[in-house]
Amino acid sequence: MYSHTKKVGSPGRYGARLSRKIRENVKTIEDQKRKQSSCQSCGKKTVKRKACGIWTCKSCGAEYTGGAHTPSTKTK
Ligand SMILES: [Zn+2]
């Protein structure tokens, strides 16, 4: 299927309403969200974001807390 947001990716739906910088930020976050990360208890890559900061594994049903947009946050 032809996508009209092929070049800019998911934030293309905002068109020119957001500045380029903001759309870049949206893209990095949404790309991370789409990428499934491995479960902490069973190791399978079936972790999905249930709500803000709540992540659930579709395979074993484990629920755990994490970042708002990523299952785990890096702390410096
Ligand atoms: Zn699991």
Side-chain angles (χ1 to χ4, degrees), residues 24-39:
E24 273 170 16
N25 293 344
V26 169
K27 186 168 164 46
T28 43
I29 287 169
E30 291 194 341
D31 284 350
Q32 281 171 348
K33 208 159 52 172
R34 204 156 294 132
K35 237 186 276 168
Q36 288 189 319
S37 50
S38 43
C39 173

Side-chain angles (χ1 to χ4, degrees), residues 5-65:
T5 59
K6 198 178 171 186
K7 252 186 199 175
V8 284
S10 56
R13 66 178 186 269
Y14 296 118
R17 274 172 286 162
L18 295 178
S19 75
R20 178 161 181 85
K21 195 84 205 167
I22 290 168
R23 274 182 281 134
E24 273 170 16
N25 293 344
V26 169
K27 186 168 164 46
T28 43
I29 287 169
E30 291 194 341
D31 284 350
Q32 281 171 348
K33 208 159 52 172
R34 204 156 294 132
K35 237 186 276 168
Q36 288 189 319
S37 50
S38 43
C39 173
Q40 288 174 354
S41 52
C42 72
K44 284 180 185 166
K45 288 198 170 186
T46 47
V47 175
K48 285 205 91 179
R49 183 177 180 264
K50 191 182 179 191
C52 181
I54 299 168
W55 295 80
T56 180
C57 174
K58 278 207 300 189
S59 179
C60 67
E63 253 178 40
Y64 45 90
T65 54

